[in-house]
Each structure stands twice: as structure tokens, then as C-alpha cells.
Amino acid sequence: MTGSAEDGQRTPGRPTSLLIDASIEAIRAADGHAAGVYLRSRTPGLLRMSVLAGLPGRLFRPWWRLHVDSPFPVADAHRLGVEVVLANAVDTMRRYPQFAAGLPFQFGSLYVPVATDTAAYGVLTVLRPSAADATELLPERERLAQLAEELAWQLGGVEDSALWWDGEPRCVRPPAPHASRRAGSFTWDPTTGAMTLDDRLRGVLGAAAEECGKSERAFASAAAPEDAPALLAALRDTAAGRPPPLPLYVRGAHGSLRLVELWESCGGVRDASGPGAVHGVVIDPGPGAAADAAADLLPEGVFALDRLGTVVYANPRAAELLELPRPQLLGRLLWDAVPWLAQPACEDHLRGALLSPEPLHCHVARPGARPGEAYDGDWLALTLNPGRDLLTCTVRPAHRVTEAPSGPPPDDSREHAEPAADPSMAPLYRPIVLAIALTEAVTARQVSEVVMRELLPAFGGRRLAIYLLQERHLYLAWESGFPQGFLARFEGIGLDARVPGVETLTSGRPLFFDSMQQLTDAYPGIPLDAAEGARAFLPLIASGRPVGSCILGFDRPRSFSTEERAALTALAGLIAHAMEKAQRYESEAALARGLQQALLPRRLSAHPLVETTGRYLPATQGMEVGGDWYDVVAAGDGLALVIGDVQGHGVQAAATMGQLRTAVRAFALGDRPPDEVLSGTNRLLIDIDSGQFASCCYIRLDPATGVALAARAGHLPPLLRRPDGRTYALDLPGGVVLGVDPQARYPVTRLVMDPGAVLALYTDGLVERPGGDIDDGIGALRVALAKNGALAGGPGGQSLSKLADRLTATARHTADRPDDIALLLATRRFTARRDA
């Protein structure tokens, strides 16, 4: 099943009809709004929607493709091989807050893996009306499981090359719950050309039916006088295994709109005997239907969409307001016919009307409308009324849009508003804004700052408190706007206390109070921080695990609309996941810092003729700890100078660093040659299979003669400052980084280090800057070493420690260090220290 990116069309593979049949049957079995099947794609780890029945694909494009590791129910069902049942919106928010934030509407959903004992093909999914809980859906679950099992068995008989989906989904019309009296069926045998009509279809076509039996061309001309070529092409494509996009609307007698549905009797799997018969249904509401005639006379615009977004009816007033003749509206997708309706706010309301039972209202600007001047003729008011088969939409001029979609109305427009109707940006607030901001937050404090900055202004709030759960007690993590000391009485409160901040978490239900009086009535005797104002208590629950509670405070009484409650509930799920991530981060960061401090050397091996010192500075971004290390090890009668850098940050990098440091020390203590030390460490890193690699530089120095043997594994070149001040970057030939090639070789270079000379080993964090050339950084370090190297030794020289401080001064005073830094300095003395 592959699609062509060049022509935008997808050529369906053989199982397409099987997938369509399963999706349509799933709608019937679960009393659903819509259904579909996700299949594997040729991109590893990526699922693609192959069939979508009952919803327009354009409006649901963000969900066409999902990674198997993403936090969505489809991914879990496929990856874990289990059913996922979300009975209602609250259940969805608690378990999958990102999914709920993207589709914050009142619906339930079921997800069943399509798999056999040996193969996992994808997931069968259904969106349906909300239920009280999952137990209410047991019959539906059993039937869907049976459908998924049957589909998997059928797909098992299809050649493997056809079981991958890489194109756009096939969008099909769901079955009508009630058969139309003006509908009939037909069968066409492509081999013989025979066309058979039932009596009901003959009644629909009238006298034209007499010619239909002669050929498919005669049938197309009789059923669709104005669109015969399109119907004829659809018949032949279906016979060839390329069914056209459904539904197919054609013009019947007197220009009326007819719906034609086609399918193959062979289910899309044909053998050498040739194509199977093509079956079809023609539905015709008939000209001058009573409902249409009545709607034609209404003073306001009325139009109707089927569940794929096609305009199936429009009265004259609707055509006038949408500025398009009726013939150009009928039979076309709404956003193709009226492109200026394809704007985010309108599409979001259409999604809501297709998934939830309540009418939705919105304002939309016609072309030429000017911001801030929403008068007659510039704006339209739309009302979307959901139905099982159709969306009925009314459209009228908006006399004055007091809440323009671009933001809240100015203060003077609220002059005569009801006091309790506190306007807010909540209906306009997109959960994705908060979600994007939360991705940048790492600590609990940063998460709280994002909530304060993004969430409160959007809903008109003035106060915020966030409590986090620890050992069955709630502790204050953030507060803003409350009287000083007021929240202290709730610090460490147990989960058995009867206060709203606790009960919202233990019950998993958000609590909304329009006024402090409502709060007092519900919780008599509860301490209050103000005489007036509304409150919202939101549970912070991430993947079913309680995290804490969020309290929003408002200075005046106000009501919370259904839309606001749904948005706040979904946003609470996002906040909970961000807080849980922050807690994990802080725990892991503390563990990593402790681990690294334990692994770095407390003291360096000493020698009377050599002075050494080291510096380590952690990164200030991300996990704040990495895999940089240095060491000085006694190696026979000499010293081994070592520096290394494990890729990445965090506990794993620090742990790998500890293993490598231990390995290098073990080889060095045995006084192995530098090439054997690096080769042995390389094989160890490959054997432990950590998935990481590391660079390293190893120098074995003879303090008495100054002869040094050096080997390098992908590390930056050391710097050598001679006693006369001349400073060089040593051009050491080296091998690849450790952990990549088990057969890697590491050549050894011999050099001489005179008394008073200074050797500098360093990691890239000291010389690399974002957007800069690393060679420039090495050059700057070389100049600094040449200028300050006299501090290290020689007659009248100061300490090597001061030189290390000078070389790291700039980095130490940089607040935003993207990488950690390690520096190791060594110098040969002119004479041995007397206290050595």
C-alpha cells in the first residue's frame, strides 16, 4: 500500500476493501461516530492511518501518522498488544493528556490491536459517544476484538508487500442508520458487461432504467446524466481494484444530487480468474423534498454537510452569505468550495461538531473584514448542529462581534455586561501553546513559571498555587497572589483531609466554584483568603498516577463554561506530565551529580618531579552532569596522564565514565603501553554495550627523563608550552573514538617534556562555542597558556593551580554552559620537592 508523493494520489493495494469493511462494521458494532485502521509503514516505528470512515481526513491530518513510542492510545495498543478503552473525555484526559489536549471534545474511543500470534499489523479504532465507564462498553469491546481478529486473519492471507501503508488515508462515508426509501442497488459484471438493477433502483431511475441493462455506459448516463464520465470511470476503477474516494456525488435528473457507493464482491483479493463483480447503491433524496423546500424559504442561511465535509444541501440565503452560487456549493467539500472558511478556529469547531453532541457557535471573518471593525457584512455567525449523518449549519450576519477571534474585547465593550460574566481568552486559548512552553521547562519551578505566565492570563486568573504529592501528603511547590502565609496552614496536608485541593486529586475530578459562597457551602468552615472571587481546583494526574493539585484563583465571581472546564481539565493533564518529568529530572540530576562526584578522583597520584592539577566544571544546561573525566595514575616508575569525554549527559554518561576510568586505571597500574590501554578500554566499552562512545587521550610520562608516550582516541590534541614560552598544539596521530570499532588501532607518539614545560589536556567544553569554529577555541586556549604559563613552574614561578584557574576563569563565570569541562595540567619540576 504505497502512495505517490508526486501526483498526490494513492494507489490502493489489495486489502483496501478489507480495511474499509472492517472500519464500517466497527462503527455499527460500537455505535460509533467514526472508525479507522492504522497500519505499519515502511518507516521504522511509524504507524499510518490507512482508512478513516466517518470523518473528513483534512480536519484530522495531525493524527494521520503516529510513532509507536508516542503517548497516544493507538501507539500503546500496537506496541503493547492490548486493548485501550477510553470511556469519556475525563478518562482520556487522565490517561492521555496530549491526545485530550489536541481533541478536547466529549467523546469516547476504543483501540484494538490487529495482530496474530506471529505478526502485528496495526490497530482498529472507533470514536463513539461518551459512556459512564469502561464496563458499559463490554459488548462493544467483544465485538471489536472479534472484528480485529477477523481482519488480522484476512490480512495474513495477503502478500507481505501489500501490508504496509505509506500514503494518505482512504476516507469513506459511514453507513446510514436508516435506509432511504429512494435508494436502490445494482450489480455489474465487468467480464460479461451485464448490469442488474433491483426494483427500488428502477423506481429511482424511472423510465431511464430501461436502457441501463445494455452496458455500464448506459447505466452511467441514466444514473448521472450530468456526470456520466465520472461515474463510468469510478465503476471501471473499482473493477480494477482502484476504488475511488468515497462518497461519490453525481448529478441526477433535474440536477438533483445523488450519492453512489461502490465496492467489489471479492473484497479486494482477486485471483487469476479475473475481477469480481462490482456492487453499488444509488441514493437519491428526490427533487423538491419537503424539508429542502421548507429550508429554502428560511430568512437565515442553512446548509448541511455529510460526515466527510461535503455540502449536500444549501438554501439560497446560505449561498448568498457564502458568496457562491448553489451549484458550486453542492457536492463539494466545504473548504474547497469556500476556501476562506478553512481557518483554524472554524476547523476546530467543525471537529468538535463531528465528535461531540452539543451545538457549537463561532464567528468567522469574510474576505475583506478589517480587524477591530466587526460590523454587518464583515463577519458571519455560524452555528453547527451535530447529527448522526449530517451537520446542519446556520449562517447569519454578525451584527457586532463582541468577542473577536483575535483576542478579548476592549474594556468599553464590557460596559453593560453582567458582573458574573467575566470575559476571558479561554475559548480562544489553544492547549498547544501551553504544551510547547512546557517542553522547555525542566524543573518544577520552571513548570510553575510557565503555568503562571501562559495559563493564568488566558483565563483571567490572578492567583496560583501548585501542590505536589509526597508520601501521601501535599506540599506547596509554588504560590503567587495569595496573602502572605495564608497557604502555610495547608502545608503537608494528608490525603484524608476534606478540603478541595485534596479531594480533586483523590477523586480525579476538577472542582469549580463560581464564588466563595459556593466554596463555603460545599466545605463549611474552610479558611478563606478573600471575601469574593471564583476558584478552580484541578487534579494533576499523569498516566493514572497522582502528582498533585493546581489551584486557580479569580478576584471576582465568574462562571466556567463547558468549553473552559474541558480546556482546563486537559491542561491540568499537561501540567501533571510536565511536573512528573521535572521530578524525575531533579531526582536523576541529584543522582548523577552524586555519582560523578564519587567517580572523579579526590586526589591525583603524585611524583617528586611532576606537579599536576585538574578542574571540572559541569554544564549548566540539561542534566548539568556529563561524562568528562581526568585522572593521574601511577604507572610503574612513571605517571599516566588521562583525559576523556563520554558522549551525552546524565546518569548513563556518568556511569559509563566511571566504568572507563576504572578500566584505564587498571591497565595503567599494570604499566601497559598507551596503545594497549586504549585498545583494551575500547573493547570493554563495546562489550558492555552501553550504546555510547567516548574520546580519550592517554600519555605515559617518565618524570626522570621527560620522555612521554602518547596515544589518542578521537580526542582533541594536547597543548605543550615549552620553558621559553613557545606553545604548540601537539599533532598526535590517533584512532577512532572508543566504543565504535573493536579492531581499532591507536598509534603511539614519542615526545620529550623539558623541566618547566607545561602539558595541557582538555575536553571540548573548554574550547567549543555555539556557532564558532573549534580551531579558533583551541587557538585562544593556546594563547592563554602561552601568556600565563610562567605561573606554573620555573624559578620564581607560582602554582599550577593558579594557572588552571586562569585558563577556566571565563568558563567558570559563564552562566550558560552547554557542555561540561575538564582540564588536566602537568609540569616537570627542575628539582624534586624536598617534602616529596
Side-chain angles (χ1 to χ4, degrees), residues 608-640:
L609 292 175
V610 178
E611 182 182 357
T612 60
T613 191
R615 294 290 184 272
Y616 174 78
L617 299 175
T620 56
Q621 297 178 0
M623 192 54 67
E624 297 184 358
V625 292
D628 290 18
W629 92 94
Y630 61 85
D631 207 352
V632 179
V633 188
D637 56 358
L639 288 178

Side-chain angles (χ1 to χ4, degrees), residues 56-231:
R58 173 194 172 100
L59 296 186
F60 294 85
R61 184 179 292 271
W63 297 272
W64 282 7
R65 41 187 284 172
L66 294 171
H67 195 276
V68 294
D69 292 327
S70 60
F72 284 84
V74 170
D76 281 357
H78 180 73
R79 187 181 69 256
L80 304 176
V82 299
E83 297 178 14
V84 177
V85 179
L86 304 175
N88 47 52
V90 174
D91 197 13
T92 304
M93 182 280 297
R94 292 180 61 180
R95 297 176 59 185
Y96 297 95
Q98 291 188 30
F99 180 44
L103 291 172
F105 310 114
Q106 298 296 318
F107 68 94
S109 52
L110 300 93
Y111 308 84
V112 184
V114 179
T116 64
D117 293 338
T118 58
Y121 301 110
V123 177
L124 176 64
T125 177
V126 178
L127 308 184
R128 66 177 311 282
S130 296
D133 54 48
T135 59
E136 188 178 319
L137 301 178
L138 287 176
E140 288 84 352
R141 294 172 60 179
E142 292 177 2
R143 181 60 183 134
L144 285 179
Q146 181 181 353
L147 282 174
E149 183 179 352
E150 292 173 357
L151 178 59
W153 180 82
Q154 291 170 322
L155 294 177
V158 177
E159 60 185 78
D160 184 70
S161 61
L163 292 176
W164 307 88
W165 196 277
D166 293 299
E168 296 183 358
R170 176 76 183 279
C171 298
V172 298
R173 183 178 182 272
H178 304 291
S180 170
R181 287 183 298 174
R182 294 189 55 81
S185 61
F186 65 90
T187 301
W188 173 51
D189 186 342
T191 303
T192 65
M195 180 71 68
T196 305
L197 281 64
D198 68 6
D199 291 338
R200 290 183 300 169
L201 183 54
R202 290 181 177 277
V204 170
L205 300 181
E210 297 304 320
E211 299 292 320
C212 292
K214 296 180 179 179
S215 67
E216 70 274 17
R217 186 181 300 275
F219 169 76
S221 298
E226 298 184 25
D227 294 312
L231 179 54

Side-chain angles (χ1 to χ4, degrees), residues 15-28 37 51 124 147 151 154 172 263-268:
T16 308
S17 295
L18 300 176
L19 303 174
I20 293 174
D21 290 346
S23 300
I24 290 176
E25 186 58 34
I27 292 177
R28 293 192 183 102
V37 179
V51 167
L124 176 64
L147 282 174
L151 178 59
Q154 291 170 322
V172 298
W263 66 93
E264 292 176 271
S265 62
C266 62

Side-chain angles (χ1 to χ4, degrees), residues 436-772:
I436 292 172
L438 286 174
T439 60
E440 304 296 328
V442 176
T443 66
R445 181 177 182 84
Q446 290 172 343
V447 171
S448 302
E449 289 173 344
V450 168
V451 176
M452 184 72 191
R453 183 178 66 248
E454 301 290 344
L455 183 62
L456 276 192
F459 289 84
R462 296 290 183 270
R463 305 179 183 197
L464 172 68
I466 295 179
Y467 284 85
L468 297 181
L469 182 65
Q470 184 178 355
E471 296 180 352
R472 295 189 58 79
H473 289 77
L474 289 174
Y475 295 90
L476 186 64
W478 177 275
E479 67 169 309
S480 178
F482 287 92
Q484 185 174 3
F486 171 76
L487 296 177
R489 69 194 73 191
F490 301 105
E491 181 71 3
I493 194 167
L495 293 187
D496 56 348
R498 189 178 182 275
V499 295
V502 170
E503 292 196 349
T504 189
L505 180 61
T506 55
S507 68
R509 295 183 298 105
L511 303 175
F512 298 94
F513 301 96
D514 296 351
S515 66
M516 299 301 271
Q517 185 60 51
Q518 277 192 7
L519 179 58
T520 302
D521 293 342
Y523 294 89
I526 188 173
L528 302 178
D529 62 293
E532 298 292 338
R535 292 289 181 270
F537 296 83
L538 307 175
L540 301 183
I541 298 174
S543 301
R545 294 184 296 274
V547 175
S549 301
C550 178
I551 305 171
L552 304 181
F554 303 83
D555 288 344
R556 292 185 297 151
R558 54 154 298 165
S559 59
F560 297 89
S561 67
T562 301
E563 187 174 15
E564 287 177 312
R565 291 174 185 238
L568 284 170
T569 302
L571 293 171
L574 294 179
I575 297 168
H577 271 267
M579 276 296 183
E580 186 183 48
K581 181 185 71 175
Q583 289 177 315
R584 286 199 307 269
Y585 164 82
E586 291 172 346
S587 298
E588 187 175 348
L591 174 62
R593 282 192 293 269
L595 178 62
Q596 188 171 51
Q597 289 173 2
L599 293 173
L600 286 173
R602 293 180 178 232
R603 64 182 184 86
L604 303 177
S605 296
H607 192 281
L609 292 175
V610 178
E611 182 182 357
T612 60
T613 191
R615 294 290 184 272
Y616 174 78
L617 299 175
T620 56
Q621 297 178 0
M623 192 54 67
E624 297 184 358
V625 292
D628 290 18
W629 92 94
Y630 61 85
D631 207 352
V632 179
V633 188
D637 56 358
L639 288 178
L641 309 174
V642 189
I643 197 161
D645 182 2
V646 178
Q647 63 141 10
H649 297 84
V651 173
Q652 183 61 46
T656 301
M657 177 268 283
Q659 291 173 305
L660 294 185
R661 177 173 175 262
T662 301
V664 171
R665 285 186 69 87
F667 288 125
L669 288 170
D671 202 14
R672 300 281 189 89
D675 56 334
E676 292 186 18
V677 173
L678 292 185
S679 295
T681 307
N682 175 50
R683 287 192 292 271
L684 171 69
L685 183 55
I686 292 174
D687 287 344
I688 64 177
D689 194 22
S690 66
Q692 294 182 301
F693 57 85
S695 65
C696 184
C697 184
Y698 182 96
I699 300 178
R700 199 273 187 191
L701 174 65
D702 184 340
T705 64
V707 174
L709 301 176
R712 190 163 62 95
H715 203 80
L716 298 175
L719 300 180
L720 178 65
R721 183 189 187 277
R722 297 191 182 279
D724 60 6
R726 290 179 298 164
T727 305
Y728 308 92
L730 299 177
D731 185 17
L732 304 179
V736 298
V737 293
L738 306 175
V740 174
D741 180 7
Q743 305 301 322
R745 296 290 180 265
Y746 300 96
V748 177
T749 301
R750 183 181 184 276
L751 55 97
V752 177
M753 187 174 172
D754 298 323
V758 180
L759 184 67
L761 307 179
Y762 54 93
T763 57
D764 54 4
L766 185 60
V767 295
E768 190 172 28
R769 296 291 178 270

